[in-house]
Amino acid sequence: MTDFQDKNRGLQQRIKYLRTFIILLFTIVLFRGWHMQIIKGSYYRKLSEDNRVRTVIMPPLRGIIYDRNGEILAKNVPSFDAGIVIADTKNLNRTIRKLSPLIHLSFEEIKERIKYAKNYDPFSPILIKEDISIREVALIESQGWNLPGVVTIIEGRREYPNNVLAAHLLGYVGEVSQSQLREVDYSSELPGRIIGQNGIEKEYDSLLRGRVGRKNIEVDASGHERQILDISEPIAGDNIVLAIDIGLQRAAEDALGDRRGAVVVLDSDTGEVLALASHPAYDPNVLSRRLLPSVWKKIAEDPGHPLNNRAIQGTYPPGSVFKILMATAGLEGGYIDPGGRIACSGGMQFGNRFYRDWTSVGHGSVDLHKAITQSCDVYFYQLGNRMQIDTIANYAMQFGLGEPTGIDLPSEKKGLVPSTQWKLNARKERWYAGETLSVAIGQGYLSVTPLQQAVMVNTVVNSGSLKRPRVLKGIISDKEKKTYEFSSVEVRKIDMKESTLKNIKSALHGVVNEPGGTGGAARSYLIDVGGKTGTAQAVGRQSVTGLNDHAWFAAFAPVDKPKITVSVLVEHGGHGGSAAAPVAKKIIEEYFKTVNSDE
């Protein structure tokens, strides 16, 4: 074989390899083209469409909240926000560095906010800064060519014009959390949506929230809008009217002042909540915006627990206000005769323990009227011993204690009405007779919220009609320009003899208006006030310097035909007669001077 033949064979071999390589290359290209167009065609078409066409969510305006006189309690104000669409930022860090000085947020702060929203749709804007100034808007818009993915968003920001006033009642709004998105109520919502997080804002969120709109837009390579393709307008939330009178609410909060405590004011006939105060409070305007961790930590760790709505979540021994229920039950059950007398010498020996009266000198000869007006403990020790704990518990639960009142506010506590069965289940112990004596004067295991205290007293002075307390008064139909009001709800009617009501009202009138009555500080020259003081031991606190007993006063006016019922609690305020009764007097007088001036 010659050299020429060897070279020719080698050339043919290389041509063969080249041909195989080209065939293989074309096969790969053809396969890849087939895979991309046939198998993954719809996927890549969608990607292409998403790069060109976007669906922009348009948040609706949240419904406005009014008080019963049309005063605005929560509204929306125009707000500009800055956001970033991740899919449009080819170099995210570069975009952040460009944006940072324009909106006065550090690189790290912006990164942190993007990190928080890691589950966002990459084609939806992530909120970076709320409520930016017009100057910041102008800077972003003028440098848009250098800020790919950065957008300005216009929406309504929640504003509470009265700041801290009625904060616990109104609540606040905030961005829906990942855990909330898994709940049925929010399963159709999108990340970033603003929803009610507490108070009325949460309770009636489904009414207030409205429905988002959508618009499909064509965008350029930087994500900037070129044209609107189609649009479905958002539907605003319903406006609602609350039963509260903001003037009376202000009077209640002013009367409570800087002291920790709560006030509940009910319309005696309907059960509507005219005012509901809890102090310390917070500014819902602050909580309704994006919170810096340091601000949230300061609020959450405040020793005054401002987030706690003491009116419906604080549970305390009811103190001597509970004697109203004891007296009512004693008369209805035939355990006492209103004219029957006992001797009070400052205490009562029971078993191996001496149960003291609140005054060591005693009250002398005491009938029911005197027992209530002067709050004689010995009288009610004896009544409690006659009734026994399960009978007391039965009456207490009939009057709404030991269960939520059903008020239209979230996270209401139910308090505790002890019984023999309760102690057996909860403590694995039998009930001791001496414990009944403590419950009879509103102490021991018994605990109530200020709202329950108001409902209980209102039920007694309302001839046994237990009305469900309600904050919502009506819904305004924007379409029909009408307000739909709700009727009062009677939970149950408790049988009460006319003589029982007469005796109880007379005694409660005496608490405020007779010599020796413990509630004289609530006496008014404007209106006839009845009420009952209470001084509840703060168990375990007595040894702590500066922490006194809790002060209670429950009142109603006018005595003959109550229009308003008030419950006041001052945490560690000392005596109910000196600390809580003056608060109730101010509120009642404000009501009859301004809200119900015909009386």
Side-chain angles (χ1 to χ4, degrees):
M1 184 175 294
T2 65
D3 290 343
F4 175 76
Q5 288 174 317
D6 288 340
K7 289 180 181 176
N8 187 42
R9 187 179 298 111
L11 181 60
Q12 287 179 351
Q13 193 70 23
R14 286 196 291 273
I15 291 173
K16 183 180 177 183
Y17 288 150
L18 180 62
R19 186 185 302 121
T20 303
F21 174 74
I22 291 172
I23 291 172
L24 185 62
L25 182 65
F26 271 98
T27 301
I28 291 173
V29 170
L30 286 173
F31 175 78
R32 183 63 178 160
W34 171 80
H35 183 264
M36 291 178 68
Q37 293 188 30
I38 306 300
I39 303 299
K40 302 288 286 185
S42 58
Y43 170 74
Y44 287 113
R45 271 196 301 278
K46 184 177 184 308
L47 277 185
S48 172
E49 194 71 3
D50 284 344
N51 275 327
R52 186 181 68 83
V53 179
R54 296 283 166 77
T55 298
V56 176
I57 301 300
M58 296 186 293
L61 285 177
R62 195 170 175 82
I64 298 171
I65 302 176
Y66 298 93
D67 87 336
R68 64 188 303 118
N69 301 313
E71 292 286 327
I72 292 177
L73 305 179
K75 62 180 181 179
N76 308 298
V77 294
S79 170
F80 291 96
D81 303 333
I84 289 181
V85 179
I86 296 296
D88 294 331
T89 55
K90 296 180 177 59
N91 186 330
L92 181 60
N93 287 343
R94 177 184 176 280
T95 299
I96 294 173
R97 277 193 288 273
K98 295 287 184 184
L99 177 64
S100 170
L102 303 184
I103 59 174
H104 304 99
L105 282 181
S106 69
F107 180 89
E108 290 74 21
E109 286 175 309
I110 297 177
K111 287 285 281 189
E112 184 67 22
R113 292 175 191 207
I114 292 173
K115 180 183 174 184
Y116 174 77
K118 60 184 179 182
N119 294 324
Y120 265 50
D121 175 359
F123 294 101
S124 297
I126 296 172
L127 185 62
I128 300 299
K129 185 179 181 182
E130 292 176 297
D131 201 21
I132 60 176
S133 67
I134 295 298
R135 183 174 182 277
E136 290 170 324
V137 173
L139 286 171
I140 291 173
E141 294 297 329
S142 65
Q143 298 185 34
W145 59 273
N146 200 27
L147 296 167
V150 176
V151 295
T152 53
I153 308 159
I154 307 172
E155 62 180 342
R157 175 172 54 77
R158 205 57 161 168
E159 184 178 270
Y160 304 88
N162 295 298
N163 301 317
V164 299
L165 196 61
H168 291 93
L169 189 144
L170 293 172
Y172 55 89
V173 299
E175 192 173 315
V176 64
S177 67
Q178 290 297 321
S179 61
Q180 287 172 323
L181 286 171
R182 290 190 285 273
E183 297 175 13
V184 174
D185 289 346
Y186 308 108
S187 58
S188 61
E189 293 299 340
L190 298 167
R193 278 278 276 149
I194 298 299
I195 63 168
Q197 297 287 5
N198 208 346
I200 283 296
E201 292 278 24
K202 180 176 182 180
E203 185 73 17
Y204 292 108
D205 183 69
S206 60
L207 291 174
L208 294 164
R209 197 189 319 158
R211 190 183 305 167
V212 298
R214 288 176 169 80
K215 66 175 178 178
N216 290 320
I217 61 171
E218 188 174 286
V219 297
D220 62 17
S222 296
H224 297 133
E225 181 177 325
R226 287 294 176 230
Q227 65 170 324
I228 297 174
L229 302 177
D230 59 75
I231 185 169
S232 63
E233 296 289 348
I235 299 174
D238 291 320
N239 300 328
I240 63 174
V241 180
L242 304 187
I244 72 161
D245 181 298
I246 196 62
L248 193 65
Q249 177 77 25
R250 184 175 288 106
E253 296 194 18
D254 287 347
L256 192 57
D258 293 333
R259 292 167 292 187
R260 295 180 188 178
V263 173
V264 177
V265 185
L266 300 179
D267 181 304
S268 300
D269 289 331
T270 65
E272 290 178 347
V273 178
L274 301 175
L276 186 145
S278 177
H279 187 83
Y282 56 83
D283 186 347
N285 290 303
V286 173
L287 291 182
S288 296
R289 297 170 191 166
R290 187 181 289 274
L291 276 176
L292 292 174
S294 59
V295 176
W296 173 250
K297 184 179 179 185
K298 184 178 179 183
I299 295 172
E301 295 182 358
D302 188 322
H305 305 293
L307 295 174
N308 181 30
N309 185 348
R310 286 168 163 78
I312 64 169
Q313 296 171 326
T315 56
Y316 312 84
S320 292
V321 178
F322 191 67
K323 291 171 182 171
I324 299 175
L325 186 141
M326 288 292 298
T328 304
L331 289 170
E332 287 297 307
Y335 296 95
I336 48 173
D337 178 334
R341 290 183 170 274
I342 61 106
C344 172
S345 58
M348 170 180 148
Q349 188 68 38
F350 188 79
N352 59 1
R353 178 180 164 185
F354 186 73
Y355 286 80
R356 298 182 184 281
D357 195 277
W358 69 268
T359 172
S360 59
V361 298
H363 298 277
S365 178
V366 179
D367 62 3
L368 176 66
H369 187 90
K370 186 175 179 180
I372 293 177
T373 58
Q374 298 188 16
S375 202
C376 176
D377 289 336
V378 172
Y379 186 95
F380 288 95
Y381 289 149
Q382 295 196 11
L383 175 57
N385 191 41
R386 292 175 198 168
M387 292 177 65
Q388 296 298 297
I389 187 60
D390 287 340
T391 303
I392 296 172
N394 180 42
Y395 275 104
M397 296 188 79
Q398 283 189 56
F399 281 85
L401 305 185
E403 62 180 8
T405 65
I407 189 174
D408 45 349
L409 286 172
S411 306
E412 181 189 11
K413 294 286 179 63
K414 65 178 184 179
L416 175 62
V417 173
S419 64
T420 53
Q421 192 61 49
W422 166 82
K423 192 176 179 191
L424 204 58
N425 293 339
R427 301 294 180 99
K428 311 299 180 192
E429 295 176 3
R430 69 181 180 86
W431 185 266
Y432 297 101
E435 294 172 318
T436 303
L437 273 57
S438 295
V439 171
I441 61 167
Q443 295 288 166
Y445 297 113
L446 188 66
S447 69
V448 302
T449 66
L451 176 64
Q452 286 176 318
Q453 194 92 293
V455 171
M456 182 269 286
V457 173
N458 196 54
T459 303
V460 172
V461 301
N462 239 345
S463 308
S465 176
L466 197 162
K467 298 288 177 59
R468 177 173 297 154
R470 195 184 65 248
V471 181
L472 183 68
K473 188 171 181 62
I475 301 172
I476 299 175
S477 167
D478 187 49
K479 184 177 179 182
E480 302 171 48
K481 307 298 179 191
K482 288 178 64 176
T483 299
Y484 293 94
E485 293 203 8
F486 297 94
S487 304
S488 63
V489 176
E490 184 178 75
V491 177
R492 67 181 74 95
K493 178 71 176 175
I494 304 165
D495 288 336
M496 279 182 65
K497 296 190 285 280
E498 191 61 35
S499 59
T500 298
L501 183 63
K502 185 178 178 182
N503 279 304
I504 296 295
K505 278 190 173 181
S506 172
L508 296 179
H509 179 265
V511 169
V512 177
N513 297 283
E514 293 179 5
T518 55
R523 193 177 308 152
S524 171
Y525 296 104
L526 291 179
I527 197 74
D528 211 12
V529 177
K532 183 71 192 78
T533 54
T535 302
Q537 290 181 358
V539 178
R541 304 275 190 182
Q542 297 289 28
S543 59
V544 180
T545 303
L547 291 182
N548 293 320
D549 294 336
H550 300 312
W552 283 101
F553 191 68
F556 60 100
V559 174
D560 286 345
K561 190 177 181 183
K563 296 185 72 66
I564 180 175
T565 302
V566 180
S567 169
V568 176
L569 168 82
V570 181
E571 270 188 18
H572 308 295
H575 294 290
S578 57
V583 175
K585 176 187 175 182
K586 289 179 182 176
I587 296 166
I588 291 169
E589 290 191 336
E590 177 69 17
Y591 176 82
F592 286 101
K593 280 191 289 188
T594 60
V595 181
N596 196 321
S597 55
D598 294 338
E599 291 293 329

